[in-house]
């Protein structure tokens, strides 16, 4: 779409408000609404001013003026607002020079796409994320000086078999690790997911599949189409917005938190990716599982930089509740065709156009702009320096003899460790001016605030383990 198309859309749909949206460092969308009386072509030319100092990890108060520059191609009508509202995703721009702000995730992703082209390796990076999520009936938590607790309320949960409900306890629900693909009434969320799919397609995000996932208590997945780096990150933000708000409209609550319940599967975000040039898939070849040498080098770069990547692809303290060895989590830094125990899988496909790799350790707590960019930069480093990943791992990596298990590297075990690796191993992200040192420093500082808060808070489990010591 062009700005002219957007103006026409405003007239045809009788739009009353325009919502400018952008994504902060943590990956959460922010917005500001403008009445249609104050919206015109000038917004595409001059942008919309806002205070960047109020966004965590961004400008100081002494240099706070920033501009939101809307991207006409992202326009859609918000399905949840009472008044007809047009949504436009924006880049955050420095007003002094008109360039993308070095801490704006979408601007970073745009610089990554430009870097790929300038490298001569390829012209397009395609990404296909699979963010899983939970839908609960309600959730409670409390953290203060008197103590802390959290509680998930879910009629679908395996633990609800003896609970009393107003309409009676039907008894149909997924068992622990029993949520993959059962029909209703065991899958109680089909209609909600269907409404999410309808809303996604109305907002321009193509949907390919939806289903219940493995965990009890409402774990779900909606599969949407792959696309180029920036657009696919845009779509991921739209998906999160729609999932949260459709669940809310049903009186339920959705979360992309990687590990909200104990003792069942966490939510991952497997990310399919490939590099193309001149309409040709550079990952297709005659090597292992139909991969090219370029694809193997890309895998080599991901494995080499995996622990630094963890700080961006698994950016929450909660992320590492999911990435625990021995619990069917993708912690082993190996690659394999069709083997889901490896952290990098080569999906089985019927033609070379679909040839790709699937990186399985990321989770949906990640900022998609930063995560896709960081993985591509790691992969490009692998290609540029011909980093071969070694032999594939075709055994079940969850059940190896100790001597073999010790030889395979793993992802980080904590966010603090991941941030240390990012700090020391950041060079590959700085190439082409994609990330800046200032941005990475600010990112580490922001995430370390979360680490420190987590470290300082007494956990209920510690009472069980230590109270009588």
């Amino acid at each position: 779409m062009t700005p002219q198309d957007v103006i026409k859309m405003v007239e045809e749909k009788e739009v009353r408000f325009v919502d400018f949206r952008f994504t902060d460092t943590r990956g959460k969308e922010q917005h500001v609404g403008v009445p249609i009386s104050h919206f015109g072509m000038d917004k595409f030319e001059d942008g919309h001013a806002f205070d960047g100092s109020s966004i965590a990890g961004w400008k100081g108060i002494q240099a706070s003026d920033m501009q939101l520059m809307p991207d006409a191609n992202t326009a859609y009508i918000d399905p949840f607002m009472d008044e007809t509202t047009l949504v436009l995703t924006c880049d955050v721009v420095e007003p002094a020079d008109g360039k993308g702000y070095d801490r704006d995730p979408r601007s970073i992703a745009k610089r990554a796409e430009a870097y790929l082209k300038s490298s001569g390796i390829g012209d397009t990076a395609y990404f296909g994320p699979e963010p899983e999520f939970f839908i609960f009936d309600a959730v409670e938590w409390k953290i203060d000086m008197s103590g802390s607790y959290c509680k998930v309320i879910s009629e679908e949960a395996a633990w609800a078999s003896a609970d009393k409900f107003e309409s009676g306890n039907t008894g149909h629900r997924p068992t622990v690790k029993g949520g993959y693909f059962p029909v209703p009434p065991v899958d109680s969320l089909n209609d909600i997911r269907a409404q999410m799919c309808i809303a996604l397609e109305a907002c321009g995000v193509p949907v390919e599949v939806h289903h219940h996932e493995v965990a009890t208590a409402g774990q779900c997945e909606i599969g949407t189409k792959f696309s180029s780096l920036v657009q696919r990150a845009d779509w991921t933000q739209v998906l999160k917005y729609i999932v949260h708000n459709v669940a809310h409209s049903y009186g339920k609550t959705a979360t992309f938190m990687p590990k909200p319940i104990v003792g069942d599967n966490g939510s991952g975000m497997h990310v399919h990716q490939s590099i193309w040039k001149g309409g040709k898939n550079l990952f297709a070849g005659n090597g292992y599982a139909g991969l090219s040498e370029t694809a193997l080098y890309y895998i080599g770069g991901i494995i080499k930089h995996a622990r630094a990547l963890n700080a961006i692809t698994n950016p929450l303290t909660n992320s590492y509740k999911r990435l625990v060895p021995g619990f069917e989590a993708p912690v082993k830094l190996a690659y394999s065709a069709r083997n889901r125990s490896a952290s990098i899988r080569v999906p089985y496909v019927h033609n070379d156009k679909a040839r790709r790799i699937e990186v399985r350790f990321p989770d949906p707590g990640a900022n998609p702009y930063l995560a896709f960019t960081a993985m591509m930069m790691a992969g490009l480093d692998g290609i540029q320096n011909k980093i071969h990943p070694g032999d594939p791992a075709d055994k079940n990596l969850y059940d190896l003899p100790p001597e073999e298990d010790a030889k395979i590297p793993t992802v980080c075990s904590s966010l603090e460790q991941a941030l240390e690796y990012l700090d020391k191993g950041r060079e590959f992200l700085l190439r082409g001016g994609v990330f800046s040192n200032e941005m990475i420093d600010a990112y580490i500082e922001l995430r370390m605030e979360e680490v420190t808060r987590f470290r300082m808070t007494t956990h209920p489990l510690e009472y069980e383990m230590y109270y009588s010591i």
Side-chain angles (χ1 to χ4, degrees):
M1 291 182 69
T2 65
Q4 291 79 7
D5 293 329
V6 173
I7 299 299
K8 185 178 179 182
M9 188 178 180
V10 164
E11 296 169 354
E12 290 177 350
K13 302 290 186 181
E14 298 182 352
V15 169
R16 301 291 300 275
F17 291 89
V18 175
D19 213 44
F20 295 123
R21 297 194 185 172
F22 65 98
T23 297
D24 67 14
T25 301
R26 288 193 176 104
K28 188 65 178 175
E29 270 195 309
Q30 310 289 331
H31 80 132
V32 58
V34 174
I36 202 62
S37 59
H38 284 70
F39 176 78
M41 286 295 292
D42 61 306
K43 291 295 185 185
F44 291 102
E45 296 160 2
D46 303 327
H48 181 86
F50 78 107
D51 177 7
S53 68
S54 297
I55 306 300
W58 283 20
K59 288 272 190 184
I61 195 71
Q62 74 282 0
S64 59
D65 291 343
M66 305 293 285
Q67 297 291 119
L68 294 174
M69 296 299 295
D71 183 339
N73 201 44
T74 65
Y76 67 88
I77 300 297
D78 191 296
F80 306 107
M81 303 294 188
D82 289 338
E83 299 295 340
T84 305
T85 300
L86 179 84
V87 175
L88 287 167
T89 299
C90 300
D91 298 317
V92 180
V93 169
E94 289 272 16
D97 58 16
K99 293 180 180 178
Y101 178 39
D102 77 323
R103 299 186 195 181
D104 169 37
R106 195 170 193 264
S107 295
I108 289 170
K110 281 191 162 184
R111 290 196 291 273
E113 288 189 322
Y115 173 69
L116 172 62
K117 292 176 182 177
S118 69
S119 73
I121 293 170
D123 50 42
T124 309
Y126 285 118
F127 287 82
E130 300 175 347
E132 297 166 334
F133 56 93
F134 281 86
I135 301 174
F136 300 138
D137 294 335
V139 63
E140 300 172 359
W141 70 82
K142 175 188 173 185
I143 307 101
D144 63 22
M145 292 176 72
S146 70
S148 62
Y149 85 99
C150 59
K151 185 175 180 61
V152 169
I153 297 99
S154 170
E155 188 171 343
E156 197 197 82
W159 62 79
S161 59
D163 291 354
K164 302 290 188 277
F165 300 106
E166 189 175 335
S167 57
N169 193 324
T170 67
H172 295 291
R173 54 181 53 88
T175 59
V176 173
K177 296 187 181 292
Y180 197 67
F181 277 28
V183 296
V186 176
D187 174 8
S188 67
L189 300 166
N190 186 82
D191 289 344
I192 296 180
R193 291 196 309 273
Q195 288 302 314
M196 292 171 177
C197 293
I198 290 168
L200 278 163
E201 297 220 305
C203 295
V205 181
V207 176
E208 296 180 334
V209 66
H210 76 88
H211 58 86
H212 202 290
E213 259 297 344
V214 172
T216 190
Q219 191 182 35
C220 297
E221 183 178 318
I222 297 174
T224 49
K225 191 178 180 182
F226 73 92
S227 190
S228 56
L229 194 158
V230 172
Q231 185 172 65
R232 187 52 264 196
D234 288 343
W235 286 355
T236 302
Q237 295 299 76
V238 176
L239 183 148
K240 284 187 169 185
Y241 178 71
I242 285 172
V243 165
H244 280 136
N245 281 278
V246 170
H248 190 74
S249 72
Y250 275 81
K252 295 183 183 290
T253 177
T255 180
F256 289 88
M257 185 177 175
K259 193 73 172 178
I261 60 174
V262 180
D264 211 335
N265 285 36
S267 291
M269 184 175 71
H270 306 154
V271 183
H272 299 253
Q273 45 204 286
S274 59
I275 303 291
W276 289 57
K277 186 174 185 178
K280 181 184 177 183
N281 184 359
L282 300 183
F283 279 18
N286 299 316
Y288 175 77
L291 293 179
S292 66
E293 194 172 51
T294 296
L296 290 174
Y297 291 150
Y298 189 98
I299 291 171
I302 295 284
I303 290 175
K304 176 186 175 183
H305 297 293
R307 290 192 165 192
L309 288 175
N310 284 154
I312 296 171
T313 59
N314 308 87
L316 316 180
T317 61
N318 183 255
S319 297
Y320 300 87
K321 300 288 193 292
R322 168 179 169 258
L323 294 177
V324 177
F327 292 90
E328 298 191 7
V331 297
K332 290 294 185 181
L333 293 171
Y335 72 101
S336 180
R338 304 172 70 179
N339 181 353
R340 293 172 187 268
S341 67
S343 61
I344 300 175
R345 186 175 77 99
V346 185
Y348 176 76
V349 297
H350 293 289
N351 62 72
D352 283 347
K353 286 188 176 181
R355 196 75 59 197
R356 62 193 187 275
I357 68 163
E358 176 192 15
V359 182
R360 295 173 63 82
F361 56 76
D363 67 56
N367 181 323
Y369 299 101
L370 302 182
F372 301 164
T373 293
M375 283 187 283
M376 187 194 77
M377 296 298 286
L380 293 182
D381 180 54
I383 295 169
Q384 289 163 331
N385 291 292
K386 297 184 177 180
I387 302 168
H388 199 280
D391 294 330
D394 291 327
K395 294 181 179 180
N396 180 356
L397 300 179
Y398 301 143
D399 190 28
L400 290 176
E403 62 275 9
E404 288 186 44
D405 185 67
K407 294 177 182 177
I408 301 176
T410 63
V411 297
C412 287
S413 57
S414 71
L415 178 56
E416 185 174 12
Q417 183 187 36
L419 291 168
E420 289 172 1
Y421 273 92
L422 174 61
D423 192 16
K424 295 173 184 174
R426 65 175 70 188
E427 188 275 330
F428 73 100
L429 296 170
L430 302 175
R431 294 174 194 167
V434 175
F435 283 80
S436 68
N437 274 311
E438 292 75 17
M439 190 278 167
I440 294 173
D441 288 342
Y443 181 87
I444 292 171
E445 182 180 357
L446 189 66
R447 292 300 184 187
M448 275 305 298
E449 290 174 8
E450 298 168 22
V451 170
T452 300
R453 187 177 176 201
F454 183 76
R455 287 169 61 187
M456 290 175 64
T457 303
T458 304
H459 193 285
L461 182 61
E462 292 176 301
Y463 276 82
E464 180 180 309
M465 294 194 296
Y466 308 131
Y467 191 76
S468 293
I469 197 166

